[in-house]
Amino acid sequence: MRTATITRATSETDIAVTVNLDGSGQYDVETGIGFFDHMLEQLARHSLIDLSVRTKGDLHIDQHHTVEDTGIAIGQAIAQALGDKRGIRRYGDALSPMDETLTRVALDISGRPWLVWNTEFTQKRLGEMDTEMFKHWFHSFAQAAGITLHVETLHGENNHHIAESAFKGLARALRQAVEIDPRKADTIPSTKGML
């Protein structure tokens, strides 16, 4: 089983994350930010990665530490569950439509973290979540997971749809990339012999 549990306790947050890469998309998420919970639930459901998240953060200050540290913990858990990455497909991509919105996500589980983000919001908040924190979450996640990640909203108007299509696109691309390729299940998907 490709599973991992990460705990992260700082003076700003206290987080426990568990992932199962070979799950069925079950989730149990509680961060204290309702819209953020909704996005992480979409990530689990559409990636088929079972995800448990318990975050207690300093929300009396703002959302920054809660969102950032949750992204780090989920990224670390996925990286740990992948182990040496033997047999994975490595690459994933998705076009994620949601009504008038279309987002393209492509990723490489390369060990070289990078985020290219071409997504904009016209509202400062969705529910109680600051929209500027979406880019920060994707960045923190990509860095901690060791993923090269490109997210681009090709068109969209509704801010809820834009955010949700980005998370669903990530989920579907991640699902592809972490899957075991039956033709290469015993090898590392790199000519270098490691990722």
Side-chain angles (χ1 to χ4, degrees), residues 19-179:
V19 300
N20 175 2
L21 301 183
D22 302 306
S24 59
Q26 299 298 308
Y27 54 82
D28 181 15
V29 176
E30 190 175 312
T31 67
I33 307 169
F35 194 88
F36 187 35
D37 291 354
H38 179 49
M39 293 301 99
L40 295 179
E41 291 165 359
Q42 299 300 325
L43 178 65
R45 177 55 54 92
H46 295 282
S47 67
L48 298 184
I49 295 172
D50 292 345
L51 177 65
S52 172
V53 178
R54 284 290 179 272
T55 301
K56 293 180 183 175
D58 55 2
L59 293 175
H60 62 286
I61 295 175
D62 69 8
Q63 299 172 352
H64 188 99
H65 301 136
T66 296
V67 173
E68 176 181 56
D69 289 4
T70 301
I72 291 169
I74 294 171
Q76 289 174 336
I78 287 175
Q80 183 175 312
L82 284 166
D84 67 1
K85 305 177 186 75
R86 186 173 305 276
I88 65 169
R89 294 189 187 274
R90 178 177 166 178
Y91 295 95
D93 62 86
L95 284 172
S96 179
M98 187 165 186
D99 297 349
E100 87 297 343
T101 298
L102 181 63
T103 300
R104 176 173 50 212
V105 177
L107 62 84
D108 175 12
I109 302 176
S110 61
R112 295 185 310 276
W114 196 268
L115 174 66
V116 174
W117 178 263
N118 290 313
T119 295
E120 294 182 8
F121 295 93
T122 57
Q123 294 176 213
K124 292 188 175 186
R125 300 186 82 132
L126 283 170
E128 71 279 16
M129 184 161 180
D130 299 328
T131 53
E132 72 173 358
M133 294 312 303
F134 291 119
K135 178 180 180 182
H136 195 56
W137 183 87
F138 277 81
H139 178 264
S140 299
F141 169 78
Q143 289 290 312
I147 291 175
T148 300
L149 177 59
H150 292 247
V151 181
E152 180 178 18
T153 300
L154 303 176
H155 48 85
E157 296 175 6
N158 182 286
N159 286 262
H160 185 131
H161 295 167
I162 291 168
E164 192 161 336
S165 70
F167 275 87
K168 286 179 175 176
L170 171 61
R172 291 180 55 229
L174 198 58
R175 176 179 172 180
Q176 289 175 22
V178 303
E179 282 182 343

